[in-house]
Amino acid sequence: MNMIQALNDAHKVMMRRDDDIVVFGEDIGFFGGVFRVTEGLQKEFGKARTFDAPISEGGIVATAVGMAAYGIKPVIEIQFADYIYPGYDQIVSEVAKMRYRTAGEWTMPMVIRTPYGGGIFGGQTHSQSPESLFTHIAGLKVVVPSTPYDAKGLLIAAIEDPDPVVFFEPKRIYNGPFDGHHDRPVTPWSKHPASDVPEGHYTVPLGKAAVVREGNELTVLAYGTMVHVALAAVQDQGLDAEVIDLRTLVPLDIETIEKSVEKTGRCLIAQEAPRTSGFAAELSALAQERCFYHLEAPVERVTGWDTPYPHAYEWAYFPGPKRMKKALEKVMAD
């Protein structure tokens, strides 16, 4: 499966198991979503469980809050992460706070799915990576898959979780892994081992990172599309680097990070989002605080720029092979 098919299958697996699960968002019913992640759900489960919502992200989130409070399990789609801001107040003030404000009497068993990131020439309003705005909010879990296998297992785990999960889907790799070389032919997921997605129910646990490449010289922390860019970069440089796919930003698997950085003594963090106040900054601080006496060089970050995502100069913004190469050379030289 590609990532779209894996996510679609996760919906079907869970909706067949639990009649309380409903799915809604803009154009996700009859149309099957702009990226077709919800294709066929309305036909199988009917309009009462899979339906189109008005163009109102605040209304979509607010409706899901009411449903979740009454025991329904909504899985909502925000069509692009760039559109999530009108619903941000509801997410911060209601979704994230409900368990706390009711002393655990109520939970918010809901999932907010949204495609994020660049690489498809979406310009400034269809390419943003706002994950750090949600990792900062206590009460939310934040998930970012990088393969079809993980996408299905993580989405099932997110739907089963009693707490709210914001599920960011890197749209550049919906149809295949991306190594950052935009001028090369696209590689389909069918040629990648992680496209072998089991049928039926399985989960990838939230809060557990994956060591996708073992090494001893350097630790690279990444998530989403940047996992594949990092893997290609360290291979091109011929480095004995360990690449860790975080998979879940909150809760963070700090134990796996610590173990790796203590072994390698060097750390590079890759994110597509703008540099200032990005999640890479939090990871850098954690590596510094917890692994200081093991570090042989300053922690390095490679990120997007502190500008809107440009349409015409998308590949100058994207932290691709050239910027990865410079960052790797710097962290290894220090």
Side-chain angles (χ1 to χ4, degrees):
M1 297 182 183
N2 63 30
M3 192 177 287
I4 293 170
Q5 294 165 331
L7 291 164
N8 181 269
D9 196 42
H11 280 88
K12 290 177 178 178
V13 167
M14 292 306 296
M15 293 180 78
R16 290 165 184 162
R17 289 166 66 97
D18 189 344
D19 291 339
D20 287 333
I21 295 172
V22 298
V23 178
F24 61 99
E26 297 165 13
D27 298 320
I28 67 94
F30 176 80
F31 190 59
V34 68
F35 293 104
R36 301 298 191 271
V37 172
T38 56
E39 188 170 27
L41 298 186
Q42 188 176 88
K43 183 177 181 180
E44 178 173 350
F45 301 102
K47 294 181 179 179
R49 295 184 62 198
T50 306
F51 54 90
D52 295 318
I55 303 175
S56 172
E57 288 75 21
I60 292 170
V61 177
T63 302
V65 168
M67 289 180 168
Y70 277 89
I72 298 172
K73 297 180 180 179
V75 180
I76 61 175
E77 178 184 297
I78 304 298
Q79 196 171 80
F80 287 86
D82 313 63
Y83 302 164
I84 205 167
Y85 306 118
Y88 192 67
D89 179 24
Q90 293 284 344
I91 295 169
V92 173
S93 302
E94 307 296 338
V95 175
K97 304 293 191 295
M98 192 62 72
R99 180 191 281 274
Y100 181 84
R101 72 189 293 186
T102 63
E105 185 176 349
W106 291 1
T107 59
M108 281 279 107
M110 59 185 288
V111 178
I112 303 171
R113 291 183 38 254
T114 187
Y116 88 106
I120 65 166
F121 287 98
Q124 62 184 10
T125 59
H126 295 78
S127 305
Q128 296 175 58
S129 300
E131 65 273 9
S132 65
L133 300 179
F134 298 89
T135 61
H136 185 69
I137 304 303
L140 299 176
K141 295 179 179 179
V142 180
V143 176
V144 187
S146 69
T147 68
Y149 179 90
D150 284 352
K152 179 179 176 180
L154 287 167
L155 183 55
I156 290 175
I159 295 172
E160 293 180 339
D161 197 286
D163 291 312
V165 179
V166 184
F167 198 93
F168 286 101
E169 299 164 9
K171 55 183 177 286
R172 182 59 180 83
I173 57 173
Y174 266 149
N175 290 297
F178 178 60
D179 62 6
H181 292 280
H182 64 279
D183 51 348
R184 295 180 181 177
V186 175
T187 302
W189 274 116
S190 59
K191 295 184 178 181
H192 194 287
S195 68
D196 186 7
V197 179
E199 294 183 3
H201 180 278
Y202 72 91
T203 61
V204 173
L206 305 186
K208 184 62 178 175
V211 179
V212 293
R213 186 184 195 275
E214 294 187 353
N216 296 293
E217 291 183 335
L218 164 71
T219 297
V220 182
L221 307 178
Y223 52 91
T225 302
M226 293 307 297
V227 172
H228 304 280
V229 177
L231 286 168
V234 298
Q235 183 174 336
D236 290 345
Q237 292 296 103
L239 294 174
D240 182 22
E242 187 152 284
V243 179
I244 296 176
D245 178 359
L246 299 180
R247 301 198 292 197
T248 304
L249 307 188
V250 179
L252 181 67
D253 185 359
I254 190 62
E255 291 80 11
T256 295
I257 294 171
E258 281 187 71
K259 182 179 178 181
S260 179
V261 175
E262 289 176 2
K263 177 179 68 172
T264 66
R266 300 174 190 273
C267 184
L268 171 66
I269 305 161
Q271 70 174 29
E272 187 179 343
R275 186 178 184 85
T276 301
S277 300
F279 193 66
E282 175 66 16
L283 293 170
S284 178
L286 287 169
Q288 174 79 0
E289 291 168 1
R290 292 171 175 262
C291 306
F292 178 77
Y293 291 106
H294 296 272
L295 287 171
E296 299 178 18
V299 177
E300 184 70 17
R301 288 178 289 163
V302 58
T303 71
W305 304 118
D306 288 337
T307 69
Y309 217 121
H311 186 273
Y313 295 100
E314 179 163 37
W315 300 117
Y317 179 98
F318 186 85
K322 289 184 179 179
R323 296 230 295 280
M324 285 292 296
K325 181 177 183 291
K326 289 181 180 179
L328 288 167
E329 289 174 345
K330 182 178 179 182
V331 75
M332 293 305 297
D334 288 338

